[in-house]
Amino acid sequence: MDFLLECIGFPPDTDLDALAARVEREGEPVAWRDPDGLHRRLALADGLDLRLDRDEPRAAPALWPYFQSPHRLRVALEQLHGLPDQPYDMLMYGEANPAPPTHPELRGESWPLSCYLTDARRLDRPLAARHVIAVTIAGFALDVGWIGPPTDATEAASAELPYGARLRPLEREEEPGGCMDVSLRVRAVRHLVNPLTTVPFDLLECDAPGRPLQLFVSRWQLRADDLPVPRPGMRVEGVFVFTGRVAGGLPAPRLLRERFG
């Protein structure tokens, strides 16, 4: 996921070896991942980390961005897949914002979600189908197809959708997991600066059913494709990798159930 680092202010020509060495030197262990301390995090801003994964002491490290969203999203689980080459991650498919049984009229505001959960160690027991958990997620751009003022065509296409949001997982075998094809209205933009590079970047908060979604885009890609710097009121369309963690809804560990009922 090195190229996703552009979304948080690392230029394409960043010396990744030097950056990895800095994360190993200055970072701290990541909760719910490698117990031997080979996975490190370096805080860049409130909720935003640069993560380093090294599954074996002599293995090449992988760098990737991570954001801890302040918004919890309810998800009814449909599938959970372990990843043979990523033992601390899990690919999740589910229904986001499911309607409670007492309010079936809200069913139209749910949407299908695919994302990577980075705390797979917490999912240490089978969960029933449609079990509802809370997650926090954020998206990092693989490719932005459009960002700009809403057009008649985009507004007409989204007029019947809750919050004007289109959210669809990539599902073909040749397409990467954990990715969503989205079309969302930007409600707010938070301007940030990468403290390691002094390069500015943006955190987009977008309208979506249930909870707003946080997205990051590469300014280098936007410039290359003659797309504007995002502003509130614009629409963003593209493919994003979603990552996150479990924020609630897991059954209590067996020992606690035995002690406290």
Side-chain angles (χ1 to χ4, degrees):
M1 292 189 181
D2 295 344
F3 60 93
L4 297 180
L5 299 181
E6 292 181 20
C7 295
I8 58 170
F10 288 99
D13 60 354
T14 296
D15 184 337
L16 296 179
D17 291 336
L19 184 59
R22 183 168 184 174
V23 177
E24 288 191 302
R25 183 174 64 253
E26 301 178 12
E28 59 186 38
V30 182
W32 295 106
R33 290 185 75 82
D34 161 52
D36 296 323
L38 300 178
H39 293 220
R40 312 287 287 177
R41 60 178 291 269
L42 185 62
L44 301 178
D46 185 23
L48 181 66
D49 295 343
L50 175 60
R51 295 284 181 94
L52 179 145
D53 288 353
R54 189 192 296 274
D55 291 329
E56 297 178 4
R58 296 184 180 180
L63 294 167
W64 51 283
Y66 179 83
F67 181 68
Q68 178 66 52
S69 169
H71 303 295
R72 287 188 172 198
L73 180 68
R74 295 168 55 252
V75 178
L77 295 176
E78 294 176 351
Q79 296 181 55
L80 285 169
H81 298 293
L83 305 169
D85 57 341
Q86 297 169 255
Y88 305 109
D89 296 316
M90 188 165 283
L91 181 58
M92 179 187 73
Y93 294 92
E95 181 186 14
N97 198 36
T102 54
H103 292 83
E105 71 277 6
L106 299 178
R107 191 172 294 116
E109 296 197 2
S110 63
W111 47 275
L113 170 66
S114 172
C115 76
Y116 288 102
L117 296 179
T118 63
D119 50 356
R121 290 178 64 201
R122 297 185 66 187
L123 303 170
D124 60 352
R125 63 190 72 88
L127 298 174
R130 303 290 299 174
H131 180 88
V132 176
I133 63 173
V135 300
T136 61
I137 61 173
F140 299 89
L142 285 179
D143 180 64
V144 175
W146 166 256
I147 188 166
T151 65
D152 290 343
T154 57
E155 289 305 286
S158 64
E160 301 302 320
L161 301 174
Y163 297 85
R166 188 193 74 229
L167 298 129
R168 182 186 67 84
L170 302 189
E171 296 178 323
R172 292 183 296 186
E173 286 189 12
E174 65 272 19
E175 294 175 324
C179 295
M180 300 282 295
D181 179 16
V182 310
S183 176
L184 300 169
R185 289 193 296 246
V186 180
R187 64 187 295 181
V189 179
R190 182 179 167 194
H191 303 293
L192 301 170
V193 175
N194 185 313
L196 305 185
T197 64
T198 69
V199 172
F201 63 99
D202 301 308
L203 165 58
L204 314 185
E205 182 161 284
C206 300
D207 286 327
R211 292 291 186 273
L213 290 177
Q214 279 70 41
L215 302 180
F216 295 83
V217 299
S218 165
R219 285 195 174 188
W220 288 273
Q221 192 229 308
L222 298 186
R223 284 197 292 268
D225 293 340
D226 293 322
L227 295 172
V229 174
R231 296 192 303 273
M234 289 184 170
R235 179 168 288 273
V236 57
E237 298 184 344
V239 175
F240 290 76
V241 178
F242 276 83
T243 64
R245 62 184 293 273
V246 178
L250 292 180
R254 183 178 304 167
L255 182 60
L256 289 179
R257 290 201 305 270
E258 291 173 352
R259 289 184 176 179
F260 301 105

